[in-house]
Structure formats: C-alpha cells, structure tokens
Amino acid sequence: METIKNYLESMFRNLPNTSEVLKAKAELLQMMEDKYTELIREGKSENEAVATVISEFGNLDELADSLGIKHVIHNEQEPQRRNLSLDEVKEYLSDLITAIAIRSAGIALFICCCVPVIFFGDVVERQVFGVCLMFIFIAIGVASMVIPRIRMEQWKFIRREPCSISPATTDYVSEEKRKFRNAYTVMNTLGIVFCICSVVPAIILDDLSHKINESWSGIFFFLFIAAGVVCFTYSNRRYTAYQRLLNLNSEKTIGGTYTGSRDKEPFYRNKTMRAIMSVYWPSVTCIYLCYSFLTFQWWISWIIWPIAGVIHKLIINLSSEE
C-alpha cells in the first residue's frame, strides 16, 4: 500500500492545494485501497495487486471527470517540476555539506591570515616566515572558495528550475534536519561564546605583559573570532540547506503541504540584483583583504564580516519576494 500512496502523491503533487482537489485525492485513495484489498482477497500477490491498481487508477486525465477536477487539471498554471529522487537528494546534501565545511575553513583562514605575521614577527622574530605563511593561508582560502563552487556546479538547476521532492524524500530531509538541530543550537551558542570571549585573552595577558609577549593577545583574539565565525557559518548554511530542499515544493500545490513551516530562500526579481548578489561575498572578501593589507589594521578589519552580514540580510528583506 505504501507504493500506491507514494504514486498517488506524485499524481497530485502539482495540483492546487484546494479543498476540491483534496477531496478528489481522498476519494481516489479510497478507491485504490478498496481495489487493492479486493485483489489481495482474490489471491493476488502484493506486487500484482499494486501493479493492477496503478494501471487502473494511474491516469489522472482519465479519472478527472469522475472526480470532478477536470477543469482544475485543464486550467492548471503551476509549471511542471523536476522531481528529485532520494538518491539525488542524498548526493546533493553530501556535496553541499562538504562545500560548506570547505568554505567555512576558508573564511577562518582569511581571518587568521595575520596570525603567522604576528607570531613570527613579534614572538619568534622570523618575520619572513610569517609573511610567507600569510600568503599561503590566503591562497588556500581563495582555493576553498573556488573549489566548492566548481563542485556544486552540477546542482545549479535546483535554484534555477522548478523542482519538487516526494513525501518519502521529504521525510528523509526532515529527519536529517531534526538530527542536526541540536548540533545547530550548540554551534550557534559556541559561536556567540567565542566572539564574546575573544577579548578575554587580552584582558588576562594584559596583567602578565611583563612575563608574556603582548602579541599573544592578538593571536588569541583572531583565533577566537575565527572559531566563532566558523561555528556560525557552518551551522547556519547547513541548516538552511535542509530548509531549501523542504521549500522546493510550491506552497500553492498539494506537494507543498509536506514542508511544514517554510523559511523562504531569497529570490531577486531584478536580473541586475541577482548578478550583484552572486558576487556579494567574494567582493566582501576582496574588500577585507585590500583594507587589511593597505592599513595593516587587522585587529579592526574583521568587523567587515558582521557588517556585511547585516547588509546582506537587509538586501534580502528589501529585494526578495515575499
């Protein structure tokens, strides 16, 4: 029976979410269940019964008139959606989670790229090694931004084309999201703790400045900030990935009823705005590096990241569709 129910869901996935259509769906389900039970009683195997039910009730165009939804099917304006299989969703999530982890590590390297300069310049007095390591950090950080983009190229259609997922796939994504919820809460909490405590080493080491090189306070400051940003970035982007999949089904259709609460992904009406936002974070990274190298005020340039986050959220609220 589970196969029959899943097939029924696929039949009605793109139909309007109205009481009329829901009633027709319930009637058809009852007809299919009655036929299935009848066939089982006649001695048919489960596979034979399922195949017979689907062949007899599987064409919605033929049944639309008797179900009273013929006009709904003919007037349906919702575009056909590409259905993602469970295997595709698992592969997509695997690739995306890996890409998020790599990007998060890259952001941490950008924030910490000045740490080798401070350490080798002020602590062990080998400044040339610090400069070399700084450029290595930046190079790896840039690579960590490019590689995930290439890796995710094959999945661009999920954002650009109308897609949908089946109830079974939705259940899988919802369960994965539920499993990650505790980690999401912990990582966001740790992110706040790391950012707040980033000044603690400076306060403690200030009293020990006669025993310990003061540069250690700056090193710990950047390490704490990097750890906090990684926690925020990884947890929020991964959580958003689950919600993005749950939001694939249109809210106007029967398929949309499986997503529960919906946190909409931003969609920019203007093509120019879409183009600008596609390079928003790379541009922020460029500004951060240029300002930091030109002024060498690494202890304050990190503030560019939270400011950029606030601006990004503001743009989404002003420019995305409700």
Side-chain angles (χ1 to χ4, degrees):
M1 273 306 299
E2 194 64 31
T3 302
I4 293 176
K5 290 180 180 179
N6 289 335
Y7 188 83
L8 179 68
E9 300 296 348
S10 67
M11 291 171 63
F12 280 80
R13 182 179 297 117
N14 291 317
L15 294 185
N17 187 11
T18 64
S19 58
E20 183 181 29
V21 176
L22 289 173
K23 180 181 177 182
K25 179 185 173 186
E27 290 179 358
L28 183 55
L29 176 60
Q30 187 61 54
M31 293 165 60
M32 297 172 87
E33 288 179 341
D34 291 344
K35 184 65 176 179
Y36 176 82
T37 303
E38 178 185 338
L39 292 170
I40 293 296
R41 287 175 179 172
E42 291 177 358
K44 300 288 186 181
S45 68
E46 183 177 345
N47 290 337
E48 290 176 326
V50 169
T52 301
V53 170
I54 290 178
S55 64
E56 186 171 332
F57 298 100
N59 193 325
L60 196 56
D61 289 332
E62 296 177 357
L63 299 170
D65 196 15
S66 61
L67 293 173
I69 57 173
K70 186 175 183 179
H71 64 288
V72 174
I73 294 178
H74 289 170
N75 294 332
E76 179 54 43
Q77 298 298 317
E78 180 69 21
Q80 289 296 313
R81 293 174 172 267
R82 173 175 176 174
N83 185 54
L84 298 179
S85 67
L86 180 58
D87 289 338
E88 284 182 309
V89 168
K90 288 181 178 180
E91 185 180 356
Y92 168 73
L93 284 175
S94 176
D95 287 348
L96 185 59
I97 290 172
T98 301
I100 291 172
I102 294 174
R103 285 173 177 167
S104 298
I107 292 174
L109 286 174
F110 282 136
I111 296 174
C112 293
C113 65
C114 60
V115 170
V117 176
I118 299 173
F119 178 77
F120 284 98
D122 296 338
V123 179
V124 299
E125 298 182 353
R126 292 290 188 275
Q127 190 169 6
V128 64
F129 293 110
V131 174
C132 291
L133 280 176
M134 178 184 67
F135 282 106
I136 291 174
F137 277 25
I138 293 173
I140 297 175
V142 171
S144 70
M145 297 297 160
V146 175
I147 293 174
R149 182 177 292 274
I150 297 174
R151 184 186 183 95
M152 296 302 297
E153 189 74 21
Q154 61 176 321
W155 302 109
K156 276 189 174 181
F157 69 89
I158 293 179
R159 285 180 174 272
R160 297 179 177 179
E161 301 175 14
C163 297
S164 66
I165 54 178
S166 68
T169 304
T170 300
D171 290 340
Y172 168 79
V173 177
S174 297
E175 179 62 18
E176 291 298 305
K177 180 183 175 184
R178 186 194 64 78
K179 291 178 181 177
F180 183 68
R181 188 172 291 122
N182 289 337
Y184 169 78
T185 303
V186 170
M187 292 186 73
N188 271 274
T189 303
L190 285 176
I192 295 172
V193 171
F194 278 128
C195 289
I196 293 176
C197 293
S198 61
V199 297
V200 172
I203 296 173
I204 295 175
L205 294 175
D206 184 55
D207 292 334
L208 302 175
S209 58
H210 61 288
K211 297 180 180 180
I212 300 177
N213 193 307
E214 293 181 358
S215 298
W216 281 105
S217 62
I219 292 173
F220 281 115
F221 174 80
F222 284 112
L223 292 177
F224 273 59
I225 290 296
V229 171
V230 167
C231 288
F232 281 130
T233 303
Y234 179 83
S235 61
N236 282 280
R237 289 192 176 182
R238 180 168 173 177
Y239 195 81
T240 301
Y242 294 127
Q243 193 59 50
R244 181 184 302 136
L245 286 172
L246 294 176
N247 287 351
L248 288 178
N249 295 337
S250 172
E251 289 181 280
K252 298 178 181 178
T253 65
I254 295 292
T257 61
Y258 298 104
T259 64
S261 61
R262 303 172 67 85
D263 302 325
K264 291 177 181 282
E265 285 292 303
F267 177 79
Y268 304 102
R269 303 181 185 92
N270 188 282
K271 290 184 178 180
T272 302
M273 180 60 71
R274 290 202 295 272
I276 292 174
M277 294 310 296
S278 68
V279 296
Y280 179 82
W281 288 112
S283 299
V284 170
T285 301
C286 181
I287 292 172
Y288 165 75
L289 293 176
C290 289
Y291 176 81
S292 299
F293 277 118
L294 290 174
T295 64
F296 286 94
Q297 295 179 338
W298 301 92
W299 61 90
I300 192 64
S301 60
W302 67 269
I303 200 69
I304 291 174
W305 294 103
I307 292 175
V310 172
I311 295 174
H312 183 256
K313 187 66 175 178
L314 181 61
I315 293 174
I316 289 176
N317 291 337
L318 294 177
S319 305
S320 61
E321 288 188 338
E322 299 298 332

mmCIF file of all heavy atoms in Angstrom, residues 59-74:
data_model
loop_
_atom_site.group_PDB
_atom_site.id
_atom_site.type_symbol
_atom_site.label_atom_id
_atom_site.label_comp_id
_atom_site.label_asym_id
_atom_site.label_seq_id
_atom_site.Cartn_x
_atom_site.Cartn_y
_atom_site.Cartn_z
ATOM 1 N N ASN A 59 -3.958 6.971 -14.310
ATOM 2 C CA ASN A 59 -4.053 8.072 -15.274
ATOM 3 C C ASN A 59 -5.065 9.099 -14.774
ATOM 4 O O ASN A 59 -6.264 8.896 -14.841
ATOM 5 C CB ASN A 59 -4.464 7.538 -16.649
ATOM 6 C CG ASN A 59 -4.271 8.584 -17.734
ATOM 7 O OD1 ASN A 59 -4.462 9.780 -17.505
ATOM 8 N ND2 ASN A 59 -3.887 8.134 -18.925
ATOM 9 N N LEU A 60 -4.570 10.211 -14.265
ATOM 10 C CA LEU A 60 -5.449 11.217 -13.673
ATOM 11 C C LEU A 60 -6.312 11.915 -14.717
ATOM 12 O O LEU A 60 -7.438 12.326 -14.419
ATOM 13 C CB LEU A 60 -4.603 12.254 -12.912
ATOM 14 C CG LEU A 60 -5.357 13.157 -11.922
ATOM 15 C CD1 LEU A 60 -6.106 12.328 -10.892
ATOM 16 C CD2 LEU A 60 -4.394 14.112 -11.243
ATOM 17 N N ASP A 61 -5.818 12.034 -15.947
ATOM 18 C CA ASP A 61 -6.615 12.664 -17.002
ATOM 19 C C ASP A 61 -7.898 11.891 -17.268
ATOM 20 O O ASP A 61 -8.950 12.475 -17.531
ATOM 21 C CB ASP A 61 -5.790 12.771 -18.293
ATOM 22 C CG ASP A 61 -4.693 13.818 -18.187
ATOM 23 O OD1 ASP A 61 -4.883 14.776 -17.407
ATOM 24 O OD2 ASP A 61 -3.664 13.670 -18.850
ATOM 25 N N GLU A 62 -7.807 10.564 -17.212
ATOM 26 C CA GLU A 62 -8.975 9.732 -17.459
ATOM 27 C C GLU A 62 -9.964 9.763 -16.295
ATOM 28 O O GLU A 62 -11.166 9.592 -16.475
ATOM 29 C CB GLU A 62 -8.541 8.289 -17.728
ATOM 30 C CG GLU A 62 -7.694 8.129 -18.992
ATOM 31 C CD GLU A 62 -7.227 6.693 -19.185
ATOM 32 O OE1 GLU A 62 -7.525 5.858 -18.295
ATOM 33 O OE2 GLU A 62 -6.564 6.403 -20.199
ATOM 34 N N LEU A 63 -9.447 9.990 -15.078
ATOM 35 C CA LEU A 63 -10.292 9.972 -13.886
ATOM 36 C C LEU A 63 -10.780 11.359 -13.482
ATOM 37 O O LEU A 63 -11.641 11.478 -12.610
ATOM 38 C CB LEU A 63 -9.506 9.369 -12.711
ATOM 39 C CG LEU A 63 -9.029 7.924 -12.874
ATOM 40 C CD1 LEU A 63 -8.071 7.567 -11.751
ATOM 41 C CD2 LEU A 63 -10.217 6.972 -12.879
ATOM 42 N N ALA A 64 -10.221 12.394 -14.097
ATOM 43 C CA ALA A 64 -10.515 13.766 -13.675
ATOM 44 C C ALA A 64 -11.998 14.087 -13.732
ATOM 45 O O ALA A 64 -12.546 14.731 -12.827
ATOM 46 C CB ALA A 64 -9.716 14.749 -14.528
ATOM 47 N N ASP A 65 -12.665 13.636 -14.782
ATOM 48 C CA ASP A 65 -14.093 13.955 -14.945
ATOM 49 C C ASP A 65 -14.921 13.346 -13.825
ATOM 50 O O ASP A 65 -15.762 14.008 -13.208
ATOM 51 C CB ASP A 65 -14.577 13.460 -16.306
ATOM 52 C CG ASP A 65 -15.916 14.092 -16.703
ATOM 53 O OD1 ASP A 65 -16.296 15.095 -16.062
ATOM 54 O OD2 ASP A 65 -16.567 13.598 -17.633
ATOM 55 N N SER A 66 -14.688 12.067 -13.529
ATOM 56 C CA SER A 66 -15.461 11.388 -12.478
ATOM 57 C C SER A 66 -15.127 11.925 -11.088
ATOM 58 O O SER A 66 -15.972 11.894 -10.180
ATOM 59 C CB SER A 66 -15.190 9.883 -12.523
ATOM 60 O OG SER A 66 -13.817 9.619 -12.300
ATOM 61 N N LEU A 67 -13.917 12.454 -10.921
ATOM 62 C CA LEU A 67 -13.528 13.024 -9.628
ATOM 63 C C LEU A 67 -13.938 14.487 -9.495
ATOM 64 O O LEU A 67 -13.819 15.074 -8.410
ATOM 65 C CB LEU A 67 -12.014 12.911 -9.443
ATOM 66 C CG LEU A 67 -11.442 11.500 -9.292
ATOM 67 C CD1 LEU A 67 -9.920 11.536 -9.292
ATOM 68 C CD2 LEU A 67 -11.942 10.848 -8.006
ATOM 69 N N GLY A 68 -14.411 15.067 -10.586
ATOM 70 C CA GLY A 68 -14.866 16.454 -10.541
ATOM 71 C C GLY A 68 -13.762 17.483 -10.560
ATOM 72 O O GLY A 68 -13.958 18.617 -10.108
ATOM 73 N N ILE A 69 -12.599 17.127 -11.098
ATOM 74 C CA ILE A 69 -11.482 18.088 -11.127
ATOM 75 C C ILE A 69 -10.941 18.262 -12.545
ATOM 76 O O ILE A 69 -9.803 18.692 -12.723
ATOM 77 C CB ILE A 69 -10.351 17.640 -10.191
ATOM 78 C CG1 ILE A 69 -9.855 16.242 -10.561
ATOM 79 C CG2 ILE A 69 -10.781 17.705 -8.738
ATOM 80 C CD1 ILE A 69 -8.617 15.810 -9.782
ATOM 81 N N LYS A 70 -11.765 17.958 -13.547
ATOM 82 C CA LYS A 70 -11.307 18.073 -14.926
ATOM 83 C C LYS A 70 -10.916 19.506 -15.255
ATOM 84 O O LYS A 70 -9.899 19.762 -15.908
ATOM 85 C CB LYS A 70 -12.407 17.597 -15.877
ATOM 86 C CG LYS A 70 -11.980 17.553 -17.331
ATOM 87 C CD LYS A 70 -13.076 16.948 -18.198
ATOM 88 C CE LYS A 70 -12.617 16.847 -19.650
ATOM 89 N NZ LYS A 70 -13.657 16.229 -20.504
ATOM 90 N N HIS A 71 -11.739 20.454 -14.802
ATOM 91 C CA HIS A 71 -11.455 21.863 -15.086
ATOM 92 C C HIS A 71 -10.182 22.337 -14.368
ATOM 93 O O HIS A 71 -9.462 23.207 -14.856
ATOM 94 C CB HIS A 71 -12.634 22.735 -14.652
ATOM 95 C CG HIS A 71 -12.895 22.718 -13.179
ATOM 96 N ND1 HIS A 71 -13.436 21.623 -12.522
ATOM 97 C CD2 HIS A 71 -12.651 23.661 -12.213
ATOM 98 C CE1 HIS A 71 -13.551 21.886 -11.234
ATOM 99 N NE2 HIS A 71 -13.080 23.111 -11.018
ATOM 100 N N VAL A 72 -9.904 21.725 -13.219
ATOM 101 C CA VAL A 72 -8.709 22.108 -12.466
ATOM 102 C C VAL A 72 -7.451 21.690 -13.228
ATOM 103 O O VAL A 72 -6.488 22.454 -13.340
ATOM 104 C CB VAL A 72 -8.712 21.452 -11.067
ATOM 105 C CG1 VAL A 72 -7.398 21.739 -10.344
ATOM 106 C CG2 VAL A 72 -9.885 21.967 -10.258
ATOM 107 N N ILE A 73 -7.463 20.473 -13.759
ATOM 108 C CA ILE A 73 -6.308 19.965 -14.495
ATOM 109 C C ILE A 73 -6.075 20.770 -15.764
ATOM 110 O O ILE A 73 -4.944 21.134 -16.101
ATOM 111 C CB ILE A 73 -6.492 18.471 -14.830
ATOM 112 C CG1 ILE A 73 -6.503 17.651 -13.541
ATOM 113 C CG2 ILE A 73 -5.385 17.987 -15.759
ATOM 114 C CD1 ILE A 73 -6.732 16.179 -13.757
ATOM 115 N N HIS A 74 -7.149 21.092 -16.478
ATOM 116 C CA HIS A 74 -7.011 21.822 -17.742
ATOM 117 C C HIS A 74 -6.599 23.271 -17.527
ATOM 118 O O HIS A 74 -5.953 23.866 -18.388
ATOM 119 C CB HIS A 74 -8.336 21.770 -18.511
ATOM 120 C CG HIS A 74 -8.625 20.399 -19.065
ATOM 121 N ND1 HIS A 74 -9.838 20.047 -19.607
ATOM 122 C CD2 HIS A 74 -7.849 19.299 -19.141
ATOM 123 C CE1 HIS A 74 -9.800 18.782 -20.002
ATOM 124 N NE2 HIS A 74 -8.600 18.307 -19.720
#
